[in-house]
Each structure stands twice: as C-alpha cells, then as structure tokens.
Amino acid sequence: MTTPSFQPWSSWEGQALIVGPGGIGAALASELGRRAPGLRVRTAGRGGGHLQLDLTDDASLARLAATAARELAPLRIVINASGLLHDGELQPEKRLSQVHRSALERSFAVNAFGPLLLAQAIEPALPKDRPVHFASLSARVGSIADNRLGGWYAYRAAKAAQNQLLRTLAIEWQRRLPQACVTMLHPGTTATELSAPFRSSVPPSGLFTPLRAASHLLDVLEGRTAASSGDFLAWDGQPVPW
C-alpha cells in the first residue's frame, strides 16, 4: 500500500458537506470554499443550509443518504459542526441531583449518535480511490483524563462517547476506505450561541471568532492523512487525551 501523501486544499476536487451551518459551521463552509475552489461546498442542518437534515431523525438521515448517493459523489470532505449543550430547559448539570434521563438521551442523540449515523448515511458517496476527510467537532470537556472539574454530565459523556464511536469507525475504514481520515476536533472556546452563557470567565485572547476557529481547524485537517486517522486533536493540532 502506498503511503498517503499530504494534499493542500487548493488541489482538492469534488464535493464537500458541512453539517450544522451555525457559527463555526458557516465559517467552515465559507473558508473551505475560499481555500479549495475545486470543491463544491454544501451545508446541511435543521435551521437552514442547502439541505435539510435532522441528525436525530432516521427518516431525515435516510433522505440525506439518498441525496448523497445521487448528487454528492464523490464526497471528499464531510465536517460535522453540530452540537447540543443547552436548549431551553436543557442546561449543563452542576450536580448529580440535576441529572435527568431526558437530557442524557437528547445530548447523546445529537452529540454521540448523530456523527456516527451521519457517517453511515454518507458512506456510499465516499470515493475509495481518493483521500477523504470525515471530521466532527468534539470538546475538551469530553476528555475523561482531563476531567478535573466534574459537572456537565450529559455533554461530557456524550462527547466522550462520540470519540469512542468515531475512533471505532476510523479502524473499520482503515480496512474498507483506506484513504479516509477520521478526526475529532476541539475547536477552542468560540463566540457562538453554544458557548454564550458560559464564557464570561474566558479572557478575550482565549475567545475565538467563528472564522478564526474555522481557520485553525482547516489548518489542522489540511496536514492530516489516512495514516493518522482516528485522532482527537485540539485547534492547534495538539492531541487531546482520551
């Protein structure tokens, strides 16, 4: 087997899909389109985008699978930028007494199951003879080894589960799609709706704009190949402990 080689974004051709066209997702789509003019970049999500997609709904995923097979091949880049931390009554838990089954189920549906089911839906559109990136936003708080504050039970556990699921996917694709690179990415604290209630203690120098976060993440992905598939990396390319 030949060793995968680095390919700059400017040389990529085909189709790209960004799921979750919110703050970071929209910035990723815009910046990837600028860096890789040979890619046709589309977005998908519940609240807008080129394609309607609900990662928690099997029928919606089935429609995406049909569209991907019919219209998106060869799908070279897929980045999942969706995530759920808070939503109305759903808030990160500070103590055990605040844990509810419904919150755990909602968080796992979006943050853990969603990325894997997305990979299942788009897999038939991925080429076997060319490099492919499948990346998903994780979070440093999903690191078990780095957990020193506690709390946030549902979000932490769901992101940790996503990491395991996608690590397992990377191992399978090494056999079936040997040029695919799977990456879990921690984007850093970014000025989006997801982080808005929780960033008051973050210094301005540590708070990224969506465009800055997207730029860092694309820098990380650009230098990766299938030889390192399955890694959990921060925005600066450094490994995050499992």
Side-chain angles (χ1 to χ4, degrees), residues 5 36-37 39 49 74 96 104 121 123 130-131 144 172 179 215 223:
S5 58
L39 287 173
L96 181 62
L104 291 166
E123 185 186 48
R130 279 177 279 180
I144 295 173
E172 177 182 345
Q179 295 199 54
S215 182

Side-chain angles (χ1 to χ4, degrees), residues 6-14 31-40 76-77 133 218-219 221-223:
F6 162 78
Q7 291 191 353
W9 287 128
S10 58
S11 69
W12 285 71
E13 295 181 345
E31 183 66 5
L32 183 59
R34 186 186 70 80
R35 295 191 187 194
L39 287 173
R40 182 182 182 188
R76 306 289 307 283
I77 313 288
H133 279 297
L218 291 177
D219 286 345
L221 288 179
E222 185 177 34

Side-chain angles (χ1 to χ4, degrees), residues 58-106:
D58 288 342
S60 183
L61 284 160
R63 287 192 292 272
L64 174 67
T67 299
R70 185 176 63 249
E71 300 178 16
L72 301 185
L75 189 53
R76 306 289 307 283
I77 313 288
V78 180
I79 305 177
N80 172 49
S82 63
L84 176 64
L85 175 58
H86 59 90
D87 181 17
E89 294 183 359
L90 175 65
Q91 297 293 327
E93 310 91 344
K94 295 181 179 179
R95 56 185 64 88
L96 181 62
S97 62
Q98 296 175 338
V99 173
H100 298 285
R101 181 184 297 276
S102 60
L104 291 166
E105 291 174 342
R106 286 190 66 197

